[in-house]
Amino acid sequence: MRMDMDKKMMILCLLLAASSSSVFTTEWKATVVRELNALVSSCVVIPCSFTHPEGNFPTSKIRGIWHISNKREERIYHKDDSLVLESFKGRTELLGHLGQGNCTLRISEIKDHDNGPFCFRVELTPTETQTLEKFSFVEDCCDLKMLPDPPKPTLTHSKVAIEGVPFTVTCTVLHTCPYQAPKLTWSRGTADGITVVNREIHAGNWEVQSVLTFIPKEKDDHSDVTCTSTFNGGGTSSAAMTLFVKREENYNHIIIPAVVGIGVALIFAVFCIFMVKKYKARIAELQRRDGSMWNRLSRLSHRMRPSGPGPNPEQGRSIWSRFSRRNPVDTVQQMPKSCSNEAFSKPRFPSPKSQPKSMNYNKAFDHGDMSMNNTDSNIYGNL
């Protein structure tokens, strides 16, 4: 029983020690972003959080103050606007709840001299049992880097734009004004195909993304897609990309030439077969003609031979009519043997000595010769 009492006392002591240590170890501390980019004429939001040893206080009992560096009197924000520097009046605002330890500050219409550094100071309203507590976090301040020109957006897209296939382009731009984020617009597309996302990438730095989805067509090839960002205060910047549209994958460029080639090959093959058959038929016909002609010539040669039967009267007339046009002497020499063996009456020619030597004789002889030839022709033609 006594051991149980000792255990309970030990546990109670440990709990008291833990609670007392948490109270005594609580200190004034603030977490502020050390540096931010601020676009001139736009706005900037400085994230801030703090803790204090007094525990939780209602917001109405806490006073938050922002001032320049370690100069507490040069206030850029105070609940009493009359205590704020003239150049910052109406341009500063606390966004968080001080009772929750949120001391985030927004500065609008940034000027090129709003470079800081800016520090946070907290004051606790005194109560009946407590005195005024105040603390300046001069070691945790924020510097602003002035940007005279708005940052340009960046474009990312799918690897290849194919005709008829949905294509996605993403436009991204950085900023430090999440409550008045830049507005992104496209040179093409509709609102149904656009999605906008605004997110914090790390403390005090934000990015807004606009995702455009559309179906490219053949006419969109080598056209430009432009994304324009409009910042709070009127500053604008843009980025563009050239769209290269690839035609939808098909095999027409392979099928069409293949079909044409096969068709041409078939036509050429049919033509060759037809020509081969035609020439074979022609050669066969010529061979038949040559054989028949050779047979006729061989039969004719057999008829012209002595041992063979003589030619019929009709053939004889045609043959001897050709021989009759020649000289009688030549005719006799060129006559077939069958005809030369036969007896015939030789015409008598007058002796040249019996006629006087004169020109008339020669002419008469010539005329007689011609008439003789004609006579002989008739004689030989009638054989």
Side-chain angles (χ1 to χ4, degrees):
M1 188 72 180
R2 183 172 179 80
M3 292 180 64
D4 292 338
M5 290 295 295
D6 293 339
K7 289 181 180 179
K8 290 180 180 179
M9 291 296 295
M10 187 179 295
I11 293 172
L12 181 60
C13 291
L14 291 174
L15 290 175
L16 291 174
S19 61
S20 62
S21 62
S22 62
V23 172
F24 289 110
T25 55
T26 302
E27 59 180 358
W28 296 92
K29 184 177 181 181
T31 303
V32 181
V33 176
R34 296 299 181 92
E35 184 178 273
L36 286 175
N37 293 327
L39 176 63
V40 175
S41 76
S42 184
C43 75
V44 64
V45 174
I46 304 174
C48 173
S49 62
F50 71 99
T51 59
H52 56 84
E54 302 298 331
N56 294 329
F57 263 63
T59 302
S60 59
K61 299 293 183 178
I62 303 175
R63 182 182 300 164
I65 302 170
W66 282 86
H67 56 88
I68 297 177
S69 186
N70 55 0
K71 302 175 182 179
R72 299 176 186 176
E73 293 78 15
E74 297 182 0
R75 304 178 186 90
I76 64 171
Y77 171 80
H78 194 282
K79 189 175 182 180
D80 186 358
D81 194 56
S82 61
L83 301 177
V84 177
L85 292 174
E86 189 66 27
S87 60
F88 285 92
K89 284 184 177 181
R91 296 198 296 122
T92 55
E93 177 185 5
L94 280 180
L95 299 178
H97 296 281
L98 295 176
Q100 298 175 354
N102 190 342
C103 51
T104 301
L105 175 71
R106 178 173 67 180
I107 305 176
S108 303
E109 301 177 9
I110 294 293
K111 310 297 181 181
D112 57 359
H113 55 76
D114 296 341
N115 56 333
F118 302 117
C119 306
F120 178 68
R121 175 181 173 84
V122 63
E123 295 180 355
L124 302 179
T125 303
T127 61
E128 295 179 356
T129 58
Q130 293 179 341
T131 59
L132 180 64
E133 295 287 342
K134 50 187 177 180
F135 192 88
S136 292
F137 303 96
V138 292
E139 294 182 357
D140 297 284
C141 302
C142 179
D143 285 318
L144 297 182
K145 181 181 178 181
M146 297 295 113
L147 299 177
D149 299 317
K152 289 187 176 183
T154 57
L155 294 178
T156 56
H157 55 85
S158 305
K159 292 183 178 180
V160 180
I162 302 175
E163 180 183 359
V165 179
F167 183 71
T168 301
V169 184
T170 302
C171 180
T172 305
V173 67
L174 299 176
H175 65 96
T176 56
C177 188
Y179 295 95
Q180 293 176 321
K183 184 179 180 181
L184 300 178
T185 56
W186 294 93
S187 60
R188 59 164 303 152
T190 59
D192 296 337
I194 298 175
T195 304
V196 180
V197 178
N198 187 29
R199 62 178 182 175
E200 187 177 17
I201 53 177
H202 50 84
N205 292 275
W206 296 71
E207 69 174 14
V208 58
Q209 285 186 344
S210 179
V211 182
L212 171 66
T213 303
F214 65 97
I215 298 177
K217 300 179 180 179
E218 184 178 358
K219 65 179 181 179
D220 296 327
D221 191 23
H222 289 81
S223 63
D224 290 337
V225 178
T226 305
C227 174
T228 302
S229 58
T230 303
F231 291 82
N232 179 42
T236 60
S237 62
S238 62
M241 61 165 287
T242 302
L243 189 65
F244 298 96
V245 180
K246 185 179 180 181
R247 292 185 178 181
E248 188 176 2
E249 291 292 338
N250 56 56
Y251 298 96
N252 292 336
H253 62 287
I254 299 175
I255 295 174
I256 294 175
V259 171
V260 172
I262 294 172
V264 172
L266 289 175
I267 294 173
F268 183 74
V270 171
F271 177 76
C272 290
I273 294 172
F274 174 76
M275 292 301 296
V276 168
K277 288 184 177 180
K278 183 177 179 181
Y279 279 109
K280 283 184 177 181
R282 181 64 175 168
I283 291 170
E285 183 180 358
L286 291 175
Q287 288 177 350
R288 287 195 301 271
R289 288 184 180 181
D290 291 342
S292 60
M293 185 177 293
W294 178 258
N295 292 334
R296 288 197 298 271
L297 291 175
S298 63
R299 287 196 298 270
L300 182 60
S301 64
H302 283 299
R303 292 175 185 176
M304 297 295 291
R305 292 175 184 174
S307 60
N312 57 32
E314 296 296 331
Q315 291 178 345
R317 292 192 189 95
S318 62
I319 293 171
W320 290 114
S321 63
R322 289 196 295 272
F323 286 123
S324 65
R325 295 192 187 95
R326 301 180 181 178
N327 196 300
V329 180
D330 296 335
T331 304
V332 174
Q333 294 176 354
Q334 296 179 7
M335 282 172 43
K337 292 181 180 181
S338 61
C339 296
S340 62
N341 294 330
E342 296 179 1
F344 61 89
S345 60
K346 181 178 181 182
R348 296 181 179 181
F349 295 94
S351 174
K353 295 181 179 181
S354 64
Q355 293 185 3
K357 296 179 179 179
S358 63
M359 294 298 294
N360 294 330
Y361 171 77
N362 295 331
K363 293 180 178 180
F365 180 78
D366 294 336
H367 289 291
D369 190 14
M370 292 178 64
S371 61
M372 181 193 69
N373 292 336
N374 293 328
T375 305
D376 295 337
S377 299
N378 293 330
I379 291 171
Y380 293 122
N382 293 326
L383 290 176

